[in-house]
Amino acid sequence: MASPFSGALQLTDLDDFIGPSQECIKPVKVAKKPGSGVARIHIEDDGSYLQVDQDGGTRRLEKAKISLNDCLACSGCITSAETVLVTQQSHEEFRRVLETNKVHAPGQRRLVVLSVSPQSTASLAARFQLSPADTARKLTSFFKKLGAHFVFDTAFSRNFSLLESQREFVRRFREQASSRGPLPMLTSACPGWICYAEKTHGSFILPHISTARSPQQVMGALVKDFFAQQQCLTPDSIYHVTVMPCYDKKLEASRPDFFNQEYQTRDVDCVLTTGEICQLLEAEGLLLSELEPAPLDSLSSSRPTEEPTSHRGGGSGGYLEHVFRHAAQELFGIRVAEVTYRPLRNKDFQEVTLERDGQVLLRFALAYGFRNIQNLVQKLKRGRCPYHFVEVMACPSGCLNGGGQLKLPTVAGRELLQEVERLYGMVRTEAPEDAPGVQELYQQWLQGEASEQARRLLHTQYHAVEKGSSGFSIRW
């Protein structure tokens, strides 16, 4: 099972991260009192902090509660087994909102919306020995039993993320001669990778990253903008929760770029990991397999109820495969029937090429895990990166192996991952451009594919994080 989550966000170890961990820049809370004078802080052997006053008196200091707004992603806690204390990204907060809703008058209740990732569904399906379709329907029943009003599948929002990535790559490829479209284009769906890129390589790497929002944040825009309009509600009247395979998604949801200043609300209010859903089930004394199924809700008027769907190209969203097929057809008029992957250094670094008459027209790659990401970045810095496009994911083996996925004590990790991959592959796939409701929303909600509305709601930007000084940055 995933790491316990009880008021504190425990991020799993990334054993292949580049640098050593540092102490959190905000480890303790010091209450200032008038006339208290100068005091020293003493660190005990167990890591706790004592305030030592001038008169020799001591007082144990409480740990500061650091919200994700305070977090600078300094690498001290985000990439090691340190703890970040979170107040708005936990299943306890989710339960508190549900309980508050029950005691409020009908006009004061918030509409509770859940958006579930296909990767989480596959992990839960493996845990409870169900099919992905049955898992999705039983999850819907469980959430509505708790007090949720609507449950969506984020495969729908991933359609928009894939389509925007396809168009962005074609535009960049055509503009590369004028240096206005830097290549390779690197995917943006993994917040762990984005966090690393912003704080470690900053302005050098950021122009290469796709501006397309991740499926989670596209769903945030769909729920808080389109769906809110359909329900005749303001965005702050909706409490939007996503279920994700990764702890880093909590950080992504807390980015200022996804905060609505007018209504003082986030596109995604709370992110729960797959493991936290099991904790919720345990707290209710329920087994998912024993619940009655209920149909998923749909954001499309052309399909009133939803069945789980997926996309070709693996468990991390299929960005490489969809962009590759689209680019081959759009740029060179070549229809790709089957995408052939060629492993390079390891299974987490693979290459795909499009050739004609012995000439390589497109060279794509996927790079999973920080070791492969580091090698990719070094090639870029040396001007020796041969790729036009790279699908980048922080977790080895990609999103199906995310840090928030379930771990089973009776099943070996590799065996469990293979079962999750098998279940994920059972779901019916569809091309994003053919998905019911997608073109309808492009016209009705976004006012066209290349509109300013589409750019604002389906794309984002990145920010280089200024490096703070630390002992690890000193060259002795």
Side-chain angles (χ1 to χ4, degrees), residues 29 60 72 120 134 136 148 172 175 185 193 277 309 329 348 356 371 377 385-386 403 419 436 440 452 454 457-458 463:
K29 181 179 180 181
R60 191 172 297 274
L72 297 179
S120 293
D134 284 343
R172 286 190 186 219
E175 292 177 350
M185 186 173 107
W193 148 242
I277 301 307
T309 59
Q329 181 68 49
D348 279 337
R356 184 166 59 190
R371 285 195 185 98
V377 171
C385 184
E419 176 62 7
E440 169 193 335
E452 173 60 26
L457 293 171
L458 302 182
H463 318 278

Side-chain angles (χ1 to χ4, degrees), residues 6 44 59 99 122 170 180 185 231 272 280 310 318 378 386:
S6 53
E44 297 282 83
R59 182 168 62 87
E99 291 303 315
V170 168
R180 289 190 296 121
M185 186 173 107
Q231 298 294 313
L272 301 179
L280 283 170
S310 190
Q378 291 306 314

